[in-house]
Amino acid sequence: MGIPRLTGHLEPYMVPLILGYQTVNFSEDLVKISTSLTPIIIDGPGLAYHIYNRLLAHRSAYLKGLDAIPSYGEIGRAFITYLDTLKSHNCHMYCPFRFLSRSPMLIPSSSSHIYFDGFLPLHKGPTRQARLELSLKHLVKTHDSSPVGFSIGAVSRHASSPSWIHEQLFNSPLSLPSSHHHLPAPAFLVPAVLDGLAESHYASIVDVVPAEADVYCALAALKMGGTILTSDSDLLVFDIGPEASVVLLNSLSINAFDGDPEAGSLLKANVFKTAEIARKFQLPNLHRLGYEIKTDPTTSFSETLRRTKTPVADP
C-alpha cells in the first residue's frame, strides 16, 4: 500500500505538531495549543491495519505462530480505545459532509469522521487479486511451518489486557520477529472493525463510501482543511489544499505534559504539509513527483526531482 520510498524522500520535510492534549490544569501554554489544533479526518482501513500490526507486534513478544494473531474482538476493541484516546485528548473532529450551508458543522471532542472503502475501482482489481494470492501463500507457508498444523482456538485463546493497550497503540516500536513477518492478516479485519463501530457510540459518524476511503479523506481535507490520519503514503500526493496536512499513524505518540505524567499528556505527531513541501520544490503539487518515484523508485531523489520539473513531451 502506498508508493515505495516516497515517505523516506519526504521525511526531512516533516514538521512536529500537537494534535491534542489531556490535562487537569488549563495553562497559558494550553491556550496557545488549543487554538492551533486542526480537525482530524481518519482513513478507516488504514487505522484498522495499523492497530492490527500494533497488537501483533505486542503479542509476538510472548506468543508464537498463529497464537500471536489478535482476534477480531481484540482488534475491534482496540480501534474503539484508539478513538476514545483521541477524544479524551480534545482532538477537534468533524463530519465533513454533514452540513446544510457553506460552513462545516464542527463537532469538537464529541465525534470523529471515519471513511471506509465501499467500492473497488476496476483498475484496482489485479492489485487486490495479487494481494489475496500473496496472503494465501503466507497462510500456506505458516501452516506448513507448524509441525502440528492449526490448533483450535489458537487465535482467540489469549485475550489482550486493557492495562497495556493504551501504551501499545501509540508509543511502542513496531517490530516483529522474522518468523512472524509472513503471518497473514485476518481475512475479515476491516469488516470486523466496522461491525464493532456499528455497535459503538461512534456508529453515527462512520461512512462507507462509494469509492476508496483515501479519495474521500482528501476531498474532505481540500474542502475544510484539517489533518488526515492514515498509513497510506498515496495521500501524500493528493491535492488537499494549503490548509490541510497528512500524518502517518506510526508517528503518533503520547507524551507527558511538561515532563509530569500527573499533569496530563500531549498527543504529538510528525506532519506532512504537502502544499508547503510542493512550494519548496517549486512544484504546483506532488502528483508528478509521486508518479516519477513510483515509475523508478531506485533513482536518486535529486534526479527524480529534476525529472519532475522537466516538461512532458507531447505524444
Side-chain angles (χ1 to χ4, degrees), residues 102-117:
R102 296 176 65 89
S103 299
M105 181 174 68
L106 295 177
I107 312 177
S109 304
S110 61
S111 61
S112 175
H113 200 78
I114 313 164
Y115 291 114
F116 284 87
D117 303 341

Side-chain angles (χ1 to χ4, degrees), residues 90-305:
N90 292 286
C91 291
H92 292 290
M93 310 179 197
Y94 67 94
C95 302
F97 295 106
R98 300 181 183 196
F99 58 91
L100 301 177
S101 66
R102 296 176 65 89
S103 299
M105 181 174 68
L106 295 177
I107 312 177
S109 304
S110 61
S111 61
S112 175
H113 200 78
I114 313 164
Y115 291 114
F116 284 87
D117 303 341
F119 177 77
L120 181 67
L122 292 178
H123 71 273
K124 288 292 187 73
T127 300
R128 189 59 55 90
Q129 182 175 345
R131 289 178 182 174
L132 289 173
E133 291 174 352
L134 181 62
S135 179
L136 178 59
K137 289 181 181 178
H138 289 168
L139 186 61
V140 171
K141 183 177 181 179
T142 300
H143 178 271
D144 292 345
S145 65
S146 174
V148 295
F150 294 99
S151 59
I152 297 176
V155 173
S156 59
R157 191 166 58 233
H158 301 277
S160 301
S161 167
S163 62
W164 59 262
I165 278 186
H166 184 278
E167 177 72 17
Q168 292 300 320
L169 291 182
F170 289 93
N171 290 1
S172 296
L174 269 172
S175 58
L176 288 173
S178 57
S179 59
H180 287 177
H181 283 172
H182 297 297
L183 285 177
F188 301 103
L189 189 157
V190 173
V193 167
L194 277 169
D195 282 348
L197 288 170
E199 299 175 358
S200 75
H201 46 288
Y202 296 105
S204 63
I205 48 80
V206 174
D207 272 352
V208 178
V209 297
E212 292 186 288
D214 54 3
V215 175
Y216 275 74
C217 289
L219 183 58
L222 180 62
K223 284 179 175 289
M224 257 72 75
T227 302
I228 301 172
L229 303 188
T230 184
S231 294
D232 190 352
S233 63
D234 284 350
L235 275 159
L236 295 174
V237 301
F238 275 81
D239 182 8
I240 58 176
E243 303 301 323
S245 57
V246 176
V247 166
L248 297 182
L249 288 160
N250 59 11
S251 79
L252 267 72
S253 64
I254 294 177
N255 307 87
F257 186 69
D258 283 341
D260 181 5
E262 295 185 1
S265 56
L266 297 175
L267 182 63
K268 296 182 177 181
N270 293 320
V271 175
F272 294 92
K273 296 186 176 183
T274 53
E276 290 186 10
I277 294 173
R279 281 197 298 271
K280 289 180 180 178
F281 295 156
Q282 298 179 329
L283 298 171
N285 52 55
L286 298 180
H287 299 170
R288 175 82 182 277
L289 179 64
Y291 169 79
E292 293 291 346
I293 293 175
K294 186 172 184 178
T295 301
D296 188 359
T298 61
T299 301
S300 68
F301 186 61
S302 58
E303 173 61 18
T304 299
L305 195 56

